[in-house]
Structure formats: structure tokens, C-alpha cells
Amino acid sequence: MCVCSSITYRGETFLSHGAAPHCAQSSRPQQRPTRAAGREGWAGPAPDWRNWRDGRSPAPGLEELEGWALSGPRTGGTGGMGALRPSGRRDGRPRPIGSDRGGRRRRCRGGEWGGMFLASRNFCCRGIKLRTDLLSRSIKHSTSATMPFRHKNTRRIEGLDSNVWVEFTKVAADPSIVNLGQGLPDISPPSYVKEELAKVAAVDRLNQYTRGFGHPSLVKALSQVYEKVCGRKIDPLTDILVTVGAYGSLFSTIQALIEEGDEVIIIEPFYDCYEPMVKMAGAKPVFIPLRCKKDGNSASSADWVLDPAELANKFNSKTKAIILNTPHNPIGKVFTLEELQVIADLCIKHDTLCISDEVYEWLVYKGNKHIKIATLPGMWERTVTIGSAGKTYSVTGWKLGWSIGPEHLIKHLQVVHQNTLYTCPTPLQEALAQAFWTDYKRMDDPECYFYSLSRELESKRDRMAQLLKGAGLKPVIPDGGYFMIVDVSTLNVDLSDVDEKQPYDYKFVKWMISSKKLSAIPLSAFCALETKKQFEKYIRFCFIKKDSTLDAAEVILKNWNKQTD
């Protein structure tokens, strides 16, 4: 019992199918619809259509559709884009379109599509094509489909449409695939963090707007925590901006402090949003790669270093800022004091800002120490430090981040924030504040979550490394963060039949997802076009996962077949 309906709009035809009598595709007895039947079918005796328009068969034209109402999602019809349904009049005859059950005229809503999207409908009924021209004035007077559309993207976003997360999240969406790609923790956040959010939701005043630059209790808690870390006074109202995740902090910083024509140094590999954010500000990204000092045979993230001379050559009179990421994503490198001092000296020499992305600040493993570059002499006044609730408490869905720095810099970030996002969710900020107060009071206790999470992840890191080695892969053991890059070149997988335009790591990950049901992220996604070749033999795994997720990955890796099918 099918009505085959099509809508032709601006050269495209959309099809929908709905239930109706007299359809050639139907093998059921023709029956009259009842309210009980709803979307599922037809019930009751078939109406006598022999008397319809003097017994004539339906013929093309709108007048032949009298008695059928065009229904859509909002009117309860069966055919999403305006299927036909009979009127259900008691005398068995159809009622006119646009009338109610008493015969009175009414406005037809026509579902979400509405009249302006109905054009050149075709209905297949007993093999007879019915064509109706239901053209609204907006369609009649619309611009020709062949005429060029003048509203195009701005130059700010030209060439920035591709995104590795969109591409590979879609590919790995199959639930049968073990997803070790995106940095998405599937471990549980601390129970007290979740409990605080539940409490806050019951307080009416905390479900309304709060201070735009940061909820008062949160900025106070952040100032107390970071005063202890940095060893200096931090004003909660002038030195901190709370934003929508670290993304929001980066965006506010770059928009507020980077001018068109400026140059910004970015260390490769880099978190993928750095480059497009710099370009959207009209500035020029200048790249410098971390290089493996062991000729590519790296066993530790500490083997990846900057060449001091090469770095010094990147600075000039146009250099406005350098973006530092420590602990580093994706390599997991924790910059040492000596390495940070080289960067700091160049920043001071060239009067350059430092945007320090430190979202993994608490995730540092034994034998390593995270040092904030803002604590080095002469760097507080030129550094914006960025943090993240998602990385600190494994609540990435909360999307809360912050920028900390001197008032003379943070005030400009606040201007961007107040004219874009304005404020962040009050309940989340209050819950986060209470969580910080809990851990602030026990910062000298090893059981503080700031330290206990890294101990938990260190065992997961070591397990992941052993599994990868067992499969013939060469992992680079991270000193911080929760990502591990892996050299896959030793497998010698022949991917010559895959899209030649893509780097090897892209092709390898797609092959691994389809043939091994295991996902990762290609490392060249974190590199500029010119240096993708340097990093294309590596892929990135995430190990902040439940034991059951790692168990599933273990099964795959233990059964890894080095010979491709």
C-alpha cells in the first residue's frame, strides 16, 4: 500500500513513500484508514471510489487530487515529505484539500517542508502518473538554479574545511570497531565530580547566567590552585578567563593578540586547530618540526627535540607569538627546563608572546616533571597559559577551559569572549569549582586526583606499549599525556591500490579500520603540508580507555597478521 511521491526542487528530486489505497505496488485489500491504524497501515472497509468524479479513473491534474490531504511529519501522515492520505469522510467520499472534517476550509501546514518546497509532485498510483504543480510564490520567483550564487565563504576560512576528526570519527562509528583514535576517555570521572553536578542542578539560581569571564567560585578556586603551582599571586577577576574548552581559550587568545600579517611559530606535530586559528586571524603560521635525535628509531618521546639553531632562525621582527604544547599532543613529550629556557630566551629577545597549551599538565609519568614556562624569569608578563577541565577530570563533554596570564593580556581575551560566547554554563562551572576545592585541599596528598590519574594511566600506557610491540609495531613511549605514536613502517603493508593522493598513514589507518576493526589517527594530520612526508609512517593511539576496551584491542593485536589479504 504505497504512494510513491517525489518532490522536484531546484533540479533535485526527493522521494518518499507512504500508505494509500489504489497503489499498484500494494497487494493488500484496499481499506479505509482509521485513527487506530496511524502510520502502520490501513483498517476498515475499502471506500467506494467508483462514484468519485462520476466513476472516472484518476487523471493528471490538481483537481483529481481532491479528497486527498497532503500530510507530513507534523500532520501525522505516513509520507514524511507530504504523502497522500484519504479524508475519512463518513460518506466514503474524499473531502477537498484544505478543508476540515466538516468541509470548512483550513490552512494546510504541510509538515516541515511547507508549501514553498512542494514542486512538480509525481505520484505513482495503479501505474498512472499524476503530476501536480504546487508551486509557491517563493519558488516561482526564486533565482534560477543555473545562476551563480554570490554568497561564498570568506577568505578567513578558505581551505580550512577539511578536519581529521570529522573524517575518522565517521569512519570509526561502527560499534564493532575498537576506537583508540579520538582522545575520548571512556573511563569514569571521579564520583565526587559527578555528584557535585547533580547537587548544583537542584539549585535554581545556579541554572541562570553567571559572570561572563568566569563563575566567581570557579575563578577563585583556579587562582588558589595555580598560585600554589606558580608560586605567585593570581587575581581571580583580572588574570583568569573561563571559556568553552581549551578551544575557546586558544581562539580568544589568537583573536585578541594576533594581528593580520603577524607570524606565529608552531611546533610540529601540532594539535590540528592551531594552524587554522592562526590563518583565520590573518597571520602566517611558521612551522618548526620536532626531530628524532635517534634517526627515527625512537623508543621515548624524550628523543624528539627542537634544534635550537633552527628555532632561532624562525624568529624575526614579524614574529608575534610561539605556540607551545607541553605535555605534547600527539607525541607525549614533556619539555625539560633546559628546552623551555631556550624558548623563553628567544621570546624575551624578540619581544614575542608565548601561548602555552598545557591541558595535559597533570598527566606526567614517573621520572618527568611538568614545568610551566610562565614561571621562568621574564615570562609571566608575555605568556597566556591554557588549561582544561576535560583533561584534568576526564569530563571532555563539559567543554570548560581557561586562560591564565597577566591582566594586560587577559583583558584583551575578555573582549573577544564577551563579544562571541559571553559566558559558559553555570552548573558546570560551579560543579568544577567544588571539585577543584576538593583537590586543592589535598594537593600534598598522593591520593589527590591530580596525581592519581597519571598513576592509573601509566599502567595502561605500559600495557598498550607491550601489545603494540607484540604485533610488530614500534611504539614511542610518552612521558606525558594519554597518546602514543607508533611506527607502522615495519609491517610493510602494501597500500598501493589505495588513494595515491593521501599520505601513507591515512591509507594505513583506513586499511586497519576496515581489515582489523581497530581505529587510530594518522600523525600527518598534525603536520603542515610540507612536512607530512616526515611523519607519515606514524599513527596515534589513545590509551585513556576502560580495561574492557583495551581487552578488545588486545584480542585484535594478538591476532595481527602481518601479511595483508
Side-chain angles (χ1 to χ4, degrees):
M1 303 171 186
C2 174
V3 167
C4 304
S5 166
S6 70
I7 301 175
T8 303
Y9 175 62
R10 290 193 176 183
E12 294 190 52
T13 300
F14 304 87
L15 301 177
S16 68
H17 298 273
H22 282 289
C23 179
Q25 299 178 12
S26 170
S27 60
R28 300 183 185 178
Q30 304 307 321
Q31 296 176 320
R32 178 184 176 189
T34 65
R35 185 169 299 184
R39 291 177 179 264
E40 300 303 322
W42 297 80
D48 183 2
W49 300 107
R50 291 172 297 178
N51 296 324
W52 185 31
R53 292 193 62 85
D54 302 323
R56 287 182 290 148
S57 298
L62 178 60
E63 68 279 3
E64 298 300 310
L65 290 176
E66 289 183 4
W68 291 84
L70 294 174
S71 65
R74 292 182 179 172
T75 55
T78 59
M81 291 187 289
L84 292 174
R85 57 183 170 84
S87 65
R89 280 172 47 155
R90 293 181 180 177
D91 59 5
R93 297 181 60 201
R95 71 170 184 267
I97 289 177
S99 66
D100 59 20
R101 293 184 179 274
R104 295 179 295 275
R105 302 295 295 179
R106 60 174 173 78
R107 177 179 293 181
C108 179
R109 294 189 298 176
E112 274 103 350
W113 288 81
M116 67 180 294
F117 291 109
L118 296 178
S120 188
R121 284 183 159 275
N122 296 293
F123 297 93
C124 176
C125 209
R126 285 192 183 276
I128 300 175
K129 244 186 169 184
L130 302 183
R131 180 177 179 86
T132 67
D133 297 322
L134 305 177
L135 298 175
S136 69
R137 290 185 180 180
S138 61
I139 293 293
K140 289 178 180 178
H141 299 294
S142 66
T143 304
S144 170
T146 60
M147 184 178 294
F149 193 60
R150 71 181 182 89
H151 299 291
K152 298 181 179 179
N153 61 274
T154 61
R155 285 183 294 173
R156 288 190 300 274
I157 64 170
E158 188 69 40
L160 305 181
D161 50 332
S162 62
N163 184 281
V164 66
W165 311 115
V166 174
E167 180 177 0
F168 282 93
T169 299
K170 186 189 305 180
V171 173
D174 185 341
S176 69
I177 294 171
V178 179
N179 191 348
L180 299 184
Q182 190 175 7
L184 184 69
D186 65 2
I187 64 173
S188 177
S191 57
Y192 59 91
V193 175
K194 296 183 290 184
E195 289 165 3
E196 290 296 343
L197 182 58
K199 293 177 187 176
V200 169
V203 182
D204 287 346
R205 65 180 177 80
L206 294 176
N207 288 287
Q208 308 304 326
Y209 292 133
T210 187
R211 175 176 175 268
F213 302 142
H215 188 52
S217 63
L218 177 56
V219 293
K220 180 63 176 176
L222 288 170
S223 70
Q224 294 296 298
V225 169
Y226 287 105
E227 280 182 2
K228 196 165 187 176
V229 172
C230 298
R232 66 174 302 123
K233 178 68 176 176
I234 296 177
D235 190 308
L237 300 182
T238 62
D239 298 346
I240 299 175
L241 171 65
V242 176
T243 58
V244 179
Y247 255 76
S249 293
L250 285 163
F251 181 80
S252 296
T253 302
I254 292 170
Q255 286 293 317
L257 301 175
I258 306 302
E259 293 276 12
E260 185 174 351
D262 286 341
E263 292 185 1
V264 177
I265 298 172
I266 299 177
I267 300 169
E268 295 180 290
F270 54 85
Y271 189 64
D272 68 304
C273 74
Y274 296 170
E275 180 184 9
M277 283 190 182
V278 168
K279 287 183 174 179
M280 281 193 286
K284 176 185 177 182
V286 176
F287 303 102
I288 179 169
L290 287 166
R291 301 186 186 278
C292 184
K293 60 185 180 182
K294 292 188 176 180
D295 296 324
N297 297 313
S298 172
S300 168
S301 61
D303 296 330
W304 293 76
V305 297
L306 291 172
D307 181 329
E310 184 180 13
L311 178 62
N313 287 334
K314 299 293 181 180
F315 282 79
N316 58 53
S317 59
K318 292 184 178 180
T319 305
K320 185 65 172 290
I322 181 172
I323 301 179
L324 171 67
N325 180 205
T326 181
H328 185 270
N329 173 19
I331 291 179
K333 176 183 175 61
V334 177
F335 282 75
T336 65
L337 176 60
E338 292 74 21
E339 290 174 316
L340 294 175
Q341 191 63 61
V342 170
I343 295 172
D345 290 345
L346 289 168
C347 287
I348 294 170
K349 177 181 178 180
H350 294 274
D351 192 19
T352 299
L353 299 172
C354 181
I355 303 170
S356 190
D357 180 353
E358 302 180 14
V359 296
Y360 301 101
E361 59 188 311
W362 304 109
L363 302 178
V364 178
Y365 305 119
K366 289 178 184 177
N368 300 278
K369 181 181 179 181
H370 172 63
I371 300 171
K372 291 184 172 295
I373 195 170
T375 63
L376 273 57
M379 288 304 292
W380 167 259
E381 53 264 36
R382 65 180 64 256
T383 302
V384 175
T385 303
I386 293 169
S388 164
K391 306 304 187 292
T392 301
Y393 284 110
S394 304
V395 287
T396 57
W398 287 25
K399 288 298 292 180
L400 287 177
W402 50 85
S403 301
I404 297 178
E407 179 182 3
H408 66 265
L409 295 181
I410 297 298
K411 67 181 182 180
H412 302 308
L413 278 63
Q414 291 175 338
V415 172
V416 174
H417 182 76
Q418 76 184 15
N419 290 294
T420 51
L421 301 171
Y422 177 66
T423 191
C424 298
T426 308
L428 296 175
Q429 292 191 74
E430 176 63 23
L432 181 61
Q434 297 308 315
F436 266 117
W437 285 121
T438 297
D439 284 303
Y440 170 74
K441 295 173 185 175
R442 55 181 183 179
M443 284 183 71
D444 297 325
D445 184 343
E447 294 308 308
C448 174
Y449 191 73
F450 298 158
Y451 319 126
S452 64
L453 178 59
S454 62
R455 290 198 303 272
E456 178 185 352
L457 292 182
E458 189 163 356
S459 63
K460 293 179 183 292
R461 177 200 69 172
D462 295 343
R463 180 187 180 190
M464 174 65 72
Q466 290 304 313
L467 292 174
L468 293 167
K469 288 177 182 177
L473 299 162
K474 295 171 60 177
V476 175
I477 310 302
D479 292 332
Y482 46 61
F483 300 108
M484 184 181 297
I485 65 170
V486 181
D487 182 350
V488 298
S489 62
T490 55
L491 296 178
N492 295 316
V493 178
D494 182 10
L495 301 174
S496 57
D497 58 337
V498 188
D499 184 2
E500 295 181 358
K501 296 180 180 179
Q502 291 193 316
Y504 182 83
D505 55 347
Y506 267 77
K507 294 186 285 188
F508 183 91
V509 170
K510 290 181 178 179
W511 166 82
M512 185 173 67
I513 291 173
S514 62
S515 65
K516 304 298 182 182
K517 300 297 182 183
L518 181 66
S519 76
I521 295 294
L523 195 66
S524 65
F526 301 90
C527 307
L529 184 63
E530 296 78 11
T531 51
K532 287 187 183 294
K533 277 285 183 183
Q534 180 180 335
F535 295 97
E536 70 172 352
K537 71 176 183 178
Y538 295 97
I539 63 175
R540 190 197 78 172
F541 286 105
C542 174
F543 56 85
I544 185 168
K545 301 293 181 181
K546 297 183 295 187
D547 287 341
S548 59
T549 304
L550 296 179
D551 290 343
E554 180 176 5
V555 172
I556 295 172
L557 291 169
K558 282 188 173 181
N559 292 287
W560 192 281
N561 183 358
K562 294 184 180 181
Q563 299 301 319
T564 59
D565 296 331

